[in-house]
Amino acid sequence: MKKVAFSTGAFYTMDTLEAVGKLRKAGFEHMELMPQCHEDLSLRTLSEITKKGMHVSSIHYPLVFFGILYNANPGMMRESMAFSDNLAVFCKEAGTEYVVIHPEQEYSGRFAELCGKPIRANIEYLASALDKVGVTVAMENYPSGVGQYPDTLQAYVKEMAIPNMKIMVDTTEVIEGGGDPIEFIKGLEVAPCHLHMSDFGGGLKHIPIGTGEVDWKAVVKTLKDKGYTGYYNLEPSYKYYIDDVDTQLRKDYEYITSLV
């Protein structure tokens, strides 16, 4: 079975288990879970996902809970540790391989000590909890800051010196930052550990794959030449999955499986 997956982030307005059912109906067997609430990371929910025949291959640290991880308040830091512990338990039971996070905000002066240091501690705790259950922390590129270019992202990850942290690539975020996904991948010392794939074109971003201007055959060839062995994970915006969802998902599945 080809390692293709789809992010539930495209179903922001839908119950997660309903979205999982639609993914399985379209042909997907792997998924990236984008939790929208605490219940999505419960073992009860995992049991229902498994019953539907789906594997949670990766988890995007929930955007709705970024305020937990990237937070310097002492009380919230304790909550961040508890959240990380629960996430690790879920990952272990689910057989999840990657957890996606974003680069930190850059702090300077006194704020580096007051905000930067505690937030870094949150990330280190998360990584440690995940390392104990064999999960890789996938550091995603970003359109600005340290995540904008291959060399700056690599330097950032090396500076963090977290053993189970590796670089991943989001094709749309590369383009939004003024780059080319092919050149970005080529600029990395080793193949990325994980992917977010969505198209870009006509001034629109995170559109369904195959509907924009990205040369996907060239992207996939570059990845394979680099030695990529991870999941080809689609991560389009929910804006394009409001109407006729089943038809669009089937198109996505057929496109990505024919490509890889």
Side-chain angles (χ1 to χ4, degrees):
M1 180 60 63
K2 293 183 177 181
K3 295 176 71 172
V4 298
F6 199 102
S7 170
T8 64
F11 310 106
Y12 164 62
T13 60
M14 189 183 299
D15 181 82
T16 294
L17 290 177
E18 180 184 357
V20 172
K22 289 185 176 295
L23 288 176
R24 188 67 192 92
K25 180 181 177 182
F28 290 95
E29 294 185 14
H30 305 284
M31 56 180 271
E32 177 164 292
L33 177 62
M34 169 67 83
Q36 301 296 344
C37 59
H38 288 291
E39 184 182 15
D40 283 350
L41 286 172
S42 69
L43 295 184
R44 185 200 69 80
T45 295
L46 175 59
S47 176
E48 294 301 315
I49 291 172
T50 303
K51 287 178 184 177
K52 293 179 184 295
M54 291 293 286
H55 168 226
V56 183
S57 48
S58 58
I59 295 174
H60 196 311
Y61 194 100
L63 298 181
V64 71
F65 295 140
F66 263 19
I68 296 176
L69 183 63
Y70 305 94
N71 197 309
N73 177 267
M76 186 56 78
M77 287 180 69
R78 291 189 291 273
E79 294 197 19
S80 177
M81 289 188 287
F83 190 93
S84 294
D85 289 339
N86 181 70
L87 179 59
V89 169
F90 185 98
C91 287
K92 181 179 179 180
E93 294 298 319
T96 301
E97 297 170 54
Y98 308 98
V99 167
V100 177
I101 66 171
H102 291 184
E104 305 150 273
Q105 180 180 337
E106 295 182 77
Y107 292 99
S108 60
R110 289 196 65 206
F111 292 103
E113 183 72 20
L114 291 173
C115 299
K117 190 174 179 179
I119 291 172
R120 175 65 61 88
N122 286 342
I123 293 174
E124 290 172 342
Y125 186 92
L126 169 67
S128 177
L130 293 174
D131 194 28
K132 291 174 184 176
V133 295
V135 176
T136 297
V137 178
M139 179 57 73
E140 186 176 352
N141 58 292
Y142 200 69
S144 60
V146 296
Q148 188 171 3
Y149 306 108
D151 56 343
T152 57
L153 184 58
Q154 287 176 149
Y156 171 65
V157 170
K158 286 180 180 179
E159 182 270 328
M160 294 185 82
I162 293 175
N164 62 322
M165 179 180 287
K166 297 181 180 179
I167 290 170
M168 66 162 288
V169 173
D170 182 308
T171 56
T172 287
E173 302 292 349
V174 171
I175 298 170
E176 195 172 1
D180 179 322
I182 294 172
E183 294 306 314
F184 194 100
I185 294 164
K186 288 181 177 179
L188 296 173
E189 294 175 358
V190 298
C193 70
H194 187 55
L195 290 174
H196 281 169
M197 304 171 76
S198 59
D199 227 318
F200 194 105
L204 300 174
K205 62 180 182 177
H206 290 299
I207 58 179
I209 192 168
T211 63
E213 301 166 5
V214 176
D215 185 345
W216 290 109
K217 288 184 178 179
V219 169
V220 170
K221 182 181 185 303
T222 302
L223 285 162
K224 291 183 176 179
D225 289 346
K226 198 77 174 180
Y228 183 68
T229 59
Y231 293 89
Y232 290 86
N233 185 77
L234 305 185
E235 195 209 33
S237 170
Y238 75 95
K239 297 176 183 178
Y240 307 104
Y241 293 81
I242 302 297
D243 300 314
D244 204 9
V245 176
D246 293 337
T247 300
Q248 182 58 57
L249 283 176
R250 188 62 197 177
K251 288 180 181 178
D252 294 333
Y253 180 77
E254 291 174 354
Y255 190 94
I256 190 63
T257 52
S258 68
L259 192 64
V260 303

